[in-house]
Amino acid sequence: MQITTTTLALTVEDATASAAFLQRHFGYTEEMSADGFVSLQHPGGGVGVVCLRRGLEVLPEDQRDRTATGVILAFVVEDLAGEERRLRGEGVEITLPLREEPWGEKLFQVTDPNGVVIELVEWAER
């Protein structure tokens, strides 16, 4: 199998709010949208994100009322401390403060308007 693109679909209460958060604070651009649906890509590559409004009929009936709880959207970045300062300056609440794990992962988290956790990660040099 050859995978050509990776996209993560998030079912949320307000697809437009999650999409706007990713666009404003993380540089995503809108590829297409319709009522309750926004498809985003990042100009630097990486994973695409689709935001779907909970209850959409295009979702299988047993999945329509589920949301993206428990999902962490993680971005590996350079200059993690600088990204934290930038997001704070933009008024984004840091929901898990900057920390370093024993295995060398530095990280912090923010949460979008629908409760989707976004984690920024930088690996410590060994």
Side-chain angles (χ1 to χ4, degrees):
M1 167 178 45
Q2 180 180 355
I3 297 173
T4 60
T5 305
T6 301
T7 303
L8 175 67
L10 301 171
T11 304
V12 295
E13 291 296 327
D14 184 344
T16 303
S18 283
F21 189 83
L22 287 169
Q23 289 173 297
R24 178 173 181 210
H25 301 295
F26 297 98
Y28 273 82
T29 58
E30 183 178 305
E31 293 282 298
M32 66 182 88
S33 64
D35 183 34
F37 164 86
V38 184
S39 177
L40 303 169
Q41 291 295 324
H42 196 277
V47 69
V49 177
V50 170
C51 300
L52 302 166
R53 184 183 65 235
R54 188 176 66 81
L56 280 180
E57 290 186 12
V58 298
L59 294 168
E61 191 171 338
D62 66 336
Q63 296 178 22
R64 288 183 192 157
D65 289 324
R66 295 181 187 176
T67 59
T69 57
V71 172
I72 296 175
L73 181 56
F75 300 130
V76 177
V77 300
E78 296 177 4
D79 189 17
L80 186 67
E83 291 298 333
E84 183 190 32
R85 283 191 302 276
R86 177 186 66 80
L87 289 167
R88 282 186 192 276
E90 293 174 0
V92 177
E93 179 185 356
I94 306 301
T95 52
L96 178 68
L98 184 61
R99 59 192 282 171
E100 185 171 343
E101 300 296 350
W103 52 86
E105 180 183 28
K106 296 179 184 178
L107 63 99
F108 71 91
Q109 294 177 347
V110 301
T111 304
D112 91 344
N114 286 293
V116 176
V117 175
I118 301 169
E119 181 173 279
L120 280 77
V121 177
E122 181 178 65
W123 291 96
E125 290 188 31
R126 296 265 184 206

